[in-house]
Amino acid sequence: MSASDADRRPAENSEDEKKTKLGSFKKAISNSFNKGRRNSKVMSFPMDDIDAEELKQAEEFRQVLIAEDLLPSRHDDIHMMLRFLRARKFDPEKTKQMWSDMIQWRKEFGADTIMEDFEFKEIDDVLKYYPQGHHGVDKDGRPVYIEKLGQVDSNKLLQATKMERYVKYHVREFERTFVHKFPACSIAAKKHIDQSTTILDVQGVGLTSLNKSARELIQCLQKVDGDNYPETLNRMFIINAGSGFRLLWNTVKSFLDLKTTAKINVLGSSYQSKLLEIIEASELPDFLGGSCKCADKGGCMLSDKGPWNDPEIMKMVHSYAEEREAEAKSSSKTTSGNMDSSNKESNKEAGEKESGKTEPGKTESAKNEESSKTDSDKNESGKKESGKMEEKVSEEEKTISEHVMAHPYPHPHPHPDRSDSVCSDAFLEANDIQIDHLSPVPEELSTPMGSEKEEKLRAALTALEQQLTATKQAEVEKELKLKAALDRVNALEKELTETKKTLDETRVKQEELLATVGKEKKFSLFCW
């Protein structure tokens, strides 16, 4: 054996050992997630694409949710928890708040039963005025979602349905995607799928393409998606982007974080080759550069093509859904049983304390001494670990106390509610901005101020609110004047049309009269 081979072998062994340990760690975390749960034979996929550290944080987050009764069995899913953790950059507190808000929203909105409860009869008209839908999968097995924003007729769309009903339809389709489409794609691809590839055709979209109602609808949908279905976009292609849209995009992009913008590709009219790098031609509609036409389905935009239409795959999906439902019922019974046994134990202990029962051969003082010793052994390691932390906390408390004494806050509530502050419509419209992405508060604003300065600031904010209100009123008046001007233009056009018609009739009569006069002149000359 050469020296180089001898050096290489330990390195290879070390690398193999690392991979083995990593695999064992992932398996242990995965087993921890599945502990107490039935393992699905249908939807079991390897977790090779998930980082071991992320798995560990997801397990810790799961334990927090269980402890605070925030984990319904239907949401006890590692991939779902990871999506929320990634959305909040693995900040446990922010993720827990986001998760808690999502659970509350689902209860209030009725998301758990919306597929059965909500019927959207106006779907045909809606798809006519807002062309959209899934079509096929990309090369990684993710469903492809297509929207033709340039063909959206927002006025007719909101005549065909109401905004509230469209939002319900949007949520119903998102639920259908998670219940049927993602599982079907996962089975077909033999790996977990919970993200989509999106294509937005913005041909003809500019700064004035969408009216106020349409913008409000889009912002509402973005908020619903961002708050309750985070990290479901793998990549987005915006195609046929003209100069008007690019100007709009440059403004919108400034509100998004780098992670989001990295997923979005803005392309002009030469987009076909880029799409074909990601999607097979047979899965891409012909109007986007692919070879699919779906002629037997009324066109690709109406076909809803995908693995979720395969009967064999859907049998497995339904089998998985039944497993989860049975698991949920079993979990509910187990929880109630545990509560009953816990109550019995509590009552038993209380009864023993009241009757003064003790074990034979042991005095009460001996029992107390033994219990104290056990507690002492349990707490000894915890005290050692927390000793240094307590010293740091004491130093921090001392520093904070000195600062408070030096800068007393005049207001009785040091942390006023954010509802007292001004929140302009311009800020609210940028609803895809999250707190994580806001700039830090300048030091001079975080320093406590006197009541006089506070009053001045409140006065300035009140003045700003008044200015915003006045601007709104001016915009409303401007819209009314514009509408009146358009009505006047239409009336003038109608009058001009009627006048032209009258003039044409008069001209015809004059021509007939001149012809008659000419004939009479000829007749009189002949007689002479």
Side-chain angles (χ1 to χ4, degrees):
M1 185 190 302
S2 65
S4 59
D5 291 338
D7 292 338
R8 192 185 306 116
R9 181 162 292 181
E12 290 175 353
N13 290 340
S14 176
E15 190 66 29
D16 291 341
E17 188 178 347
K18 284 182 181 178
K19 287 182 179 178
T20 304
K21 285 183 178 179
L22 185 61
S24 301
F25 180 73
K26 284 188 176 183
K27 188 176 181 181
I29 294 293
S30 179
N31 290 340
S32 176
F33 254 95
N34 292 323
K35 188 176 181 182
R37 297 183 57 193
R38 289 173 36 169
N39 291 324
S40 172
K41 297 177 181 178
V42 181
M43 299 293 288
S44 296
F45 301 109
M47 297 185 180
D48 298 336
D49 59 332
I50 303 177
D51 182 71
E53 182 60 30
E54 290 187 353
L55 274 175
K56 182 182 176 184
Q57 292 185 58
E59 168 60 15
E60 292 171 355
F61 180 59
R62 178 173 179 265
Q63 294 304 322
V64 170
L65 296 179
I66 291 173
E68 301 195 19
D69 196 23
L70 288 173
L71 190 60
S73 58
R74 68 181 295 155
H75 300 317
D76 190 0
D77 177 60
I78 180 175
H79 299 283
M80 182 175 181
M81 294 176 206
L82 280 170
R83 286 192 295 104
F84 276 78
L85 283 164
R86 287 166 183 156
R88 289 295 177 263
K89 299 178 180 177
F90 287 86
D91 185 306
E93 287 303 316
K94 291 179 180 178
T95 307
K96 187 180 75 172
Q97 185 61 54
M98 185 183 188
W99 183 279
S100 175
D101 292 343
M102 176 271 296
I103 296 294
Q104 184 62 32
W105 172 83
R106 292 185 70 86
K107 289 179 182 176
E108 294 174 356
F109 197 87
D112 290 340
T113 58
I114 198 167
M115 288 176 59
E116 296 80 21
D117 298 343
F118 181 67
E119 186 178 1
F120 199 59
K121 295 180 179 179
E122 58 266 40
I123 180 64
D124 292 337
D125 287 336
V126 165
L127 293 179
K128 188 190 303 180
Y129 303 130
Y130 191 169
Q132 57 180 287
H134 283 104
H135 184 279
V137 296
D138 64 16
K139 291 181 180 180
D140 290 322
R142 300 183 187 91
V144 177
Y145 177 72
I146 304 169
E147 280 191 8
K148 291 186 173 182
L149 285 182
Q151 295 182 19
V152 173
D153 189 330
S154 51
N155 291 322
K156 290 184 178 179
L157 172 66
L158 293 174
Q159 288 174 5
T161 188
K162 294 180 179 179
M163 189 179 298
E164 295 79 6
R165 284 185 59 77
Y166 187 86
V167 173
K168 284 189 175 183
Y169 160 71
H170 179 80
V171 170
R172 190 191 72 176
E173 291 306 300
F174 232 128
E175 290 294 309
R176 193 190 305 279
T177 298
F178 271 97
V179 173
H180 293 158
K181 295 184 178 181
F182 282 152
C185 290
S186 299
I187 292 170
K190 297 180 180 178
K191 62 181 180 181
H192 183 78
I193 301 290
D194 62 358
Q195 290 185 318
S196 301
T197 292
T198 297
I199 302 172
L200 295 185
D201 187 349
V202 296
Q203 186 171 19
V205 175
L207 291 170
T208 59
S209 298
L210 302 175
N211 61 23
K212 185 179 178 183
S213 298
R215 290 196 301 272
E216 288 177 355
L217 174 60
I218 291 172
Q219 288 164 5
C220 179
L221 298 180
Q222 286 175 341
K223 180 167 176 57
V224 168
D225 296 353
D227 290 350
N228 306 290
Y229 305 97
E231 295 294 312
T232 53
L233 175 67
N234 178 257
R235 61 170 69 91
M236 177 186 289
F237 296 97
I238 299 176
I239 62 173
N240 290 317
S243 56
F245 180 83
R246 288 180 185 274
L247 181 63
L248 182 63
W249 169 244
N250 288 334
T251 304
V252 172
K253 187 168 64 173
S254 62
F255 294 114
L256 305 176
D257 65 350
L258 294 177
K259 186 179 177 182
T260 302
T261 54
K263 296 180 179 181
I264 301 174
N265 299 275
V266 180
L267 308 172
S269 56
S270 302
Y271 57 82
Q272 292 82 357
S273 59
K274 189 68 176 177
L275 294 184
L276 289 170
E277 288 178 11
I278 308 300
I279 307 166
E280 295 287 356
S282 59
E283 297 289 309
L284 191 64
D286 59 344
F287 59 81
L288 294 177
S291 59
C292 186
K293 294 184 178 179
C294 294
D296 58 329
K297 302 290 185 181
C300 290
M301 291 301 292
L302 299 175
S303 68
D304 197 34
K305 174 181 177 178
W308 49 88
N309 290 316
D310 186 320
E312 293 301 318
I313 288 178
M314 289 311 295
K315 279 183 184 178
M316 290 187 274
V317 171
H318 293 316
S319 173
Y320 171 67
E322 288 170 4
E323 284 182 18
R324 292 300 299 268
E325 188 176 349
E327 180 186 317
K329 290 179 180 177
S330 173
S331 174
S332 177
K333 288 179 181 179
T334 304
T335 304
S336 61
N338 290 340
M339 288 179 67
D340 291 340
S341 62
S342 176
N343 290 335
K344 287 178 181 178
E345 289 292 331
S346 299
N347 293 335
K348 185 178 179 181
E349 289 176 7
E352 287 178 353
K353 286 180 182 178
E354 287 174 6
S355 61
K357 290 182 180 179
T358 59
E359 293 182 19
K362 286 189 180 180
T363 63
E364 190 66 33
S365 60
K367 280 190 69 179
N368 291 338
E369 186 177 333
E370 188 176 306
S371 176
S372 300
K373 185 177 179 181
T374 306
D375 292 341
S376 149
D377 291 337
K378 286 181 180 178
N379 294 331
E380 186 176 353
S381 60
K383 287 180 179 178
K384 287 179 180 178
E385 291 177 1
S386 61
K388 294 181 180 179
M389 184 60 71
E390 286 178 357
E391 289 177 7
K392 289 182 180 179
V393 171
S394 298
E395 290 176 5
E396 292 290 337
E397 287 179 348
K398 184 178 178 182
T399 305
I400 292 169
S401 299
E402 290 173 356
H403 180 76
V404 171
M405 292 297 292
H407 304 283
Y409 196 91
H411 199 278
H413 304 289
H415 302 285
D417 194 294
R418 287 183 61 87
S419 61
D420 293 339
S421 62
V422 176
C423 219
S424 67
D425 286 348
F427 181 81
L428 288 173
E429 287 180 6
N431 51 40
D432 51 348
I433 309 174
Q434 297 174 358
I435 297 298
D436 307 30
H437 311 137
L438 293 177
S439 302
V441 178
E443 187 178 351
E444 59 270 18
L445 291 181
S446 61
T447 305
M449 64 182 82
S451 57
E452 187 177 346
K453 287 185 178 179
E454 198 173 292
E455 288 300 323
K456 287 182 180 179
L457 181 58
R458 287 182 181 278
L461 291 176
T462 303
L464 181 59
E465 278 185 333
Q466 291 174 352
Q467 288 179 6
L468 289 171
T469 304
T471 304
K472 269 189 172 183
Q473 291 176 349
E475 287 180 357
V476 171
E477 290 175 1
K478 187 177 179 181
E479 285 184 3
L480 291 173
K481 287 180 180 179
L482 182 61
K483 186 177 181 301
L486 287 172
D487 292 341
R488 180 59 181 159
V489 167
N490 291 333
L492 288 172
E493 284 183 351
K494 187 176 180 181
E495 290 177 6
L496 286 171
T497 302
E498 291 176 354
T499 303
K500 183 180 177 184
K501 183 179 178 182
T502 304
L503 288 173
D504 288 340
E505 291 175 354
T506 303
R507 181 175 56 79
V508 170
K509 287 181 179 180
Q510 286 179 343
E511 288 176 354
E512 290 176 353
L513 183 60
L514 287 172
T516 304
V517 170
K519 285 180 182 179
E520 288 180 355
K521 282 184 178 181
K522 286 181 181 179
F523 180 74
S524 61
L525 286 172
F526 179 76
C527 293
W528 180 259

